[in-house]
Amino acid sequence: MSTDKPARIKRITVPMLREMKQQGTPITMLTAYDYPFARIFDEAGVDTLLVGDSLGMVVQGRNTTLPVTLDHMIYHGEMVARAAKRALVIVDMPFMSYQVSPQQAVESAGRIMKETEAAAVKLEGGVDQAETISRIVRADIPVMGHIGMTPQSVHLFGSMSKIQRDADKIIAEAKAVEEAGAFAIVLELIPKDLAREISSQLSIPTIGIGAGPHCDGQVLVMHDMLGIVQDFHPKFVKRFEDLKGKTSSAVQSYIEEVRSHAYPSDAHSHA
Ligand code: KIV
């Protein structure tokens, strides 16, 4: 009988992401919102799982992320954190859970950490949120920043698909987030050469979405990359699977088999 213990899975940590940047190892991140998908993604080897407030759109079917509440994020964050054995889990801070004051932000981030057991939080904004990021980090909670097209500001931008091209402003935002103590930063919808410049100027990893190939890592919304949602196709999304088509055809087969009495057969019935 073998006495070998099963190999322990090495969990990805916040400091490991910086090492990955230094070693030039691309960081992979996917959004996840529930236990079964988080478990599949974790077992497949993704480095980080983001419980994004995009859940307002892809799970709740809303037009923006603004109605998502802190309780919604905690509900989904807890399921994802419970599923992940290796991946670092980061939970988004939803609209109006941190903008009111740094104290409100620390309280909201604290609830996320205590009630979900995730490893970090993410919030949107650069220079304007620097003090808030620094206050959360001083409470020993790791923070991921998010600049460029920030969906919680959709009504200021006028649309969610507007590429952000003001290089001086975006570089200043990125530096403010790093100086405030964030451990990584999402760059959303910015030109690839600007993303390359920011990635080379920062010592923290950049995670791109619609920001080209020169970021230190990439993130996609699971419903986009798996083809569950197909009525949203910006240039940056690559559909790696057609789960909508596959699911629909499985459901049609089920309907046909029930109607034709092919299912359940003896093989699926108890004697
Ligand atoms: O909410 C989200 O899913 C995000 C990613 C798109 C980065 O913020």
Side-chain angles (χ1 to χ4, degrees):
M1 193 177 82
S2 165
T3 54
D4 288 351
K5 287 192 182 146
R8 276 226 170 165
I9 302 165
K10 197 169 179 201
R11 188 181 276 284
I12 304 285
T13 62
V14 163
M16 280 162 76
L17 295 191
R18 195 184 281 245
E19 285 164 26
M20 288 173 79
K21 175 177 176 117
Q22 285 160 358
Q23 290 158 1
T25 307
I27 298 164
T28 55
M29 179 154 102
L30 277 178
T31 66
Y33 314 98
D34 63 22
Y35 184 92
F37 274 112
R39 193 166 164 187
I40 294 170
F41 299 167
D42 187 61
E43 288 176 1
V46 75
D47 300 312
T48 57
L49 289 171
L50 172 66
V51 187
D53 63 352
S54 49
L55 71 85
M57 301 171 75
V58 295
V59 177
Q60 298 176 339
R62 299 177 188 272
N63 290 327
T64 73
T65 60
L66 303 194
V68 176
T69 67
L70 189 56
D71 286 337
H72 294 158
M73 294 311 303
I74 289 170
Y75 176 77
H76 289 272
E78 192 273 330
M79 291 186 268
V80 171
R82 192 144 35 87
K85 303 287 175 260
R86 175 181 174 273
L88 180 86
V89 177
I90 302 148
V91 176
D92 252 340
M93 299 189 68
F95 182 59
M96 280 301 134
S97 71
Y98 60 95
Q99 288 92 341
V100 176
S101 68
Q103 180 176 337
Q104 182 215 22
V106 174
E107 284 170 4
S108 301
R111 271 199 67 199
I112 290 174
M113 299 298 281
K114 283 179 97 70
E115 295 178 41
T116 69
E117 298 190 72
V121 298
K122 174 168 88 55
L123 61 82
E124 297 180 7
V127 174
D128 288 347
Q129 294 303 334
E131 171 59 13
T132 294
I133 293 172
S134 147
R135 286 282 296 276
I136 300 173
V137 173
R138 274 190 270 144
D140 291 337
I141 299 173
V143 178
M144 175 176 269
H146 183 162
I147 61 164
M149 205 300 292
T150 45
Q152 290 177 19
S153 310
V154 57
H155 295 303
L156 275 180
F157 290 133
S159 111
M160 286 224 192
S161 51
K162 200 156 177 238
I163 298 165
Q164 302 299 300
R165 298 183 183 278
D166 186 343
D168 289 345
K169 180 169 181 283
I170 295 168
I171 291 172
E173 305 274 28
K175 287 189 170 161
V177 169
E178 172 166 76
E179 279 158 23
F183 70 92
I185 184 167
V186 169
L187 305 179
E188 180 160 355
L189 273 190
I190 67 172
K192 64 181 175 81
D193 289 342
L194 178 55
R196 187 204 330 242
E197 181 59 29
I198 293 170
S199 303
S200 74
Q201 288 197 25
L202 297 191
S203 60
I204 58 172
T206 58
I207 312 290
I209 176 162
H214 308 299
C215 297
D216 302 304
Q218 297 291 329
V219 56
L220 280 176
V221 170
M222 59 163 278
H223 291 69
D224 297 335
M225 64 85 70
L226 290 176
I228 299 172
V229 170
Q230 298 196 359
D231 42 12
F232 174 70
H233 26 77
K235 187 172 179 185
F236 67 83
V237 168
K238 177 169 175 183
R239 194 180 297 153
F240 287 81
E241 189 44 276
D242 174 19
L243 272 200
K244 180 179 178 193
K246 288 194 165 166
T247 305
S248 177
S249 105
V251 171
Q252 281 164 20
S253 299
Y254 167 75
I255 293 168
E256 275 165 31
E257 290 197 19
V258 169
R259 287 184 180 156
S260 67
H261 302 282
Y263 175 83
S265 67
D266 278 352
H268 300 104
S269 306
H270 299 285

